[in-house]
Amino acid sequence: MSQRCSSNCNSCGSRLLAAFVVVQLVNVAQVHASNQIDVESDLRHLLGRCHSQSDEYNDCMKQVFNDLRAYFTTGIPDYHIKPFDPHHSDYVELRRGDGAHGIGSFRLVLRNVSEYGWSKSEVTKFHADAEDQRIVYAQYFPDKTLEGQYEFSGKMLGTEIKRRGPWNLTLYDYSQTTSVLRVGGPGSLLKVHVEVDRIGGMELHIGNLLGQSLNSLADGVINSMWQLGLPFVKPMINELVSTAFTDIFNESFRYFPLESFLGPATR
C-alpha cells in the first residue's frame, strides 16, 4: 500500500511540476506579447501625431525624438533597434597618409567604444527634406562620456611611433548636428555625417601615450591646451564619429518602417 501511494505521489508531483512549468511559459509569452503591443502602440501614439505634409511636422518630430529618450537605455528589440545609452561601436578607423611615409601620416583604430549620456540629451532642432531623403537635427548634451581601447601607429618627423591602451573622454556643455541621408529607396543604406558645434569643457585620458611615468603629464597638457588644438582635431573627430554612426544607424534604422507609424498626410 505504501509503495503504491508513494508511486502515486511521485506521479502526482511530476504532473504538478509539468503544469507549473507550462503556466510559467504561458505567462512569459503573455508578458512578451503585452510588451510588444505596448511598444508598438506607444510608437503609433508618438509618431502618429506627426503628419509628413503638415507645416508643424519638423517641430512635431523634434518632440518625438525627445519623447523617445525612454527607449535609449533599452532599445526596441522588436524592431532591431539597439540601446543608445550606452551605445557601442566595435571598430572605428582613421587614416592620414599611408601610415608609413610622409610627415604626420598615421593610422588610428578605436575598439570597443562605449558612449554614455544620450538619455540626458535634447534635440533642439529638426528638419526633414523628403525630396532628398535627408533629416538633419541638432542635439545638446550636458555631458557625454566615451571610453574604449585605441591603437596608434605612424611616423612623425621621420620617427616611427606605436601606442596602444585604454582611453576615456568626457565632454561638457556639448552640442552636435547630425545629418542622415538615405542613398536609395526604402531599405537602402543610410549615410550619417556628424558635425561638432560646441564643446564647453573636456577631460581626456589616453593611456600609454608617453609611457607609464609620463601619463599624468600628457593628460595635464592635453586637458589644459585642448582648445588651442581643437581647430586641427575637430575634422578628425567629425570623421570618426560620422563613420561610427553610419554603421550604428544602418544596423538599427535601415529597415525601420517609419512611414507606417506616421499620421495621415494632411495640410
Side-chain angles (χ1 to χ4, degrees), residues 74-150:
T74 63
I76 307 178
D78 293 326
Y79 290 96
H80 309 290
I81 297 176
K82 294 187 175 183
F84 259 66
D85 198 359
H87 71 66
H88 301 276
S89 182
D90 294 332
Y91 181 94
V92 189
E93 182 178 10
L94 177 68
R95 288 178 179 267
R96 290 292 184 269
D98 61 8
H101 303 90
I103 297 176
S105 63
F106 66 86
R107 175 176 179 259
L108 173 65
V109 174
L110 303 181
R111 298 183 187 274
N112 300 320
V113 181
S114 296
E115 180 176 298
Y116 304 82
W118 281 71
S119 298
K120 297 184 291 184
S121 70
E122 180 184 2
V123 173
T124 56
K125 294 180 181 179
F126 179 94
H127 177 75
D129 187 335
E131 184 175 347
D132 290 338
Q133 299 192 88
R134 183 196 304 268
I135 64 171
V136 180
Y137 63 93
Q139 193 169 14
Y140 172 77
F141 296 77
D143 58 81
K144 72 153 61 177
T145 300
L146 302 94
E147 61 185 18
Q149 298 286 321
Y150 81 93

Side-chain angles (χ1 to χ4, degrees), residues 42 46 49 60 62-71:
D42 194 30
L46 293 175
R49 66 196 187 201
C60 182
K62 181 185 76 171
Q63 186 57 48
V64 166
F65 266 55
N66 290 321
D67 290 341
L68 287 172
R69 284 176 296 192
Y71 292 104

Side-chain angles (χ1 to χ4, degrees), residues 40-243:
E40 187 159 331
S41 63
D42 194 30
L43 290 176
R44 292 194 182 280
H45 169 70
L46 293 175
L47 290 165
R49 66 196 187 201
C50 299
H51 308 290
S52 58
Q53 302 301 316
S54 169
D55 293 335
E56 288 77 34
Y57 178 71
N58 288 328
D59 286 337
C60 182
M61 288 299 295
K62 181 185 76 171
Q63 186 57 48
V64 166
F65 266 55
N66 290 321
D67 290 341
L68 287 172
R69 284 176 296 192
Y71 292 104
F72 281 3
T73 57
T74 63
I76 307 178
D78 293 326
Y79 290 96
H80 309 290
I81 297 176
K82 294 187 175 183
F84 259 66
D85 198 359
H87 71 66
H88 301 276
S89 182
D90 294 332
Y91 181 94
V92 189
E93 182 178 10
L94 177 68
R95 288 178 179 267
R96 290 292 184 269
D98 61 8
H101 303 90
I103 297 176
S105 63
F106 66 86
R107 175 176 179 259
L108 173 65
V109 174
L110 303 181
R111 298 183 187 274
N112 300 320
V113 181
S114 296
E115 180 176 298
Y116 304 82
W118 281 71
S119 298
K120 297 184 291 184
S121 70
E122 180 184 2
V123 173
T124 56
K125 294 180 181 179
F126 179 94
H127 177 75
D129 187 335
E131 184 175 347
D132 290 338
Q133 299 192 88
R134 183 196 304 268
I135 64 171
V136 180
Y137 63 93
Q139 193 169 14
Y140 172 77
F141 296 77
D143 58 81
K144 72 153 61 177
T145 300
L146 302 94
E147 61 185 18
Q149 298 286 321
Y150 81 93
E151 299 171 12
F152 178 89
S153 60
K155 281 195 172 183
M156 300 293 177
L157 300 177
T159 301
E160 186 173 1
I161 301 173
K162 289 189 177 182
R163 296 285 188 272
R164 65 168 57 195
W167 65 277
N168 59 71
L169 168 68
T170 301
L171 302 170
Y172 300 98
D173 191 20
Y174 170 83
S175 60
Q176 65 183 39
T177 296
T178 303
S179 172
V180 184
L181 171 69
R182 188 178 292 280
V183 297
S188 61
L189 288 173
L190 303 173
K191 186 176 181 179
V192 180
H193 178 73
V194 178
E195 187 82 21
V196 174
D197 296 324
R198 170 183 166 78
I199 301 176
M202 184 185 82
E203 294 179 6
L204 174 63
H205 167 71
I206 305 177
N208 303 323
L209 183 62
L210 297 178
Q212 191 66 34
S213 60
L214 296 176
N215 272 346
S216 296
L217 174 62
D219 288 350
V221 171
I222 292 171
N223 291 318
S224 63
M225 301 184 66
W226 65 268
Q227 289 174 312
L228 295 177
L230 185 60
F232 304 99
V233 177
K234 183 179 174 181
M236 291 187 284
I237 296 175
N238 292 337
E239 184 176 336
L240 282 167
V241 176
S242 298
T243 300

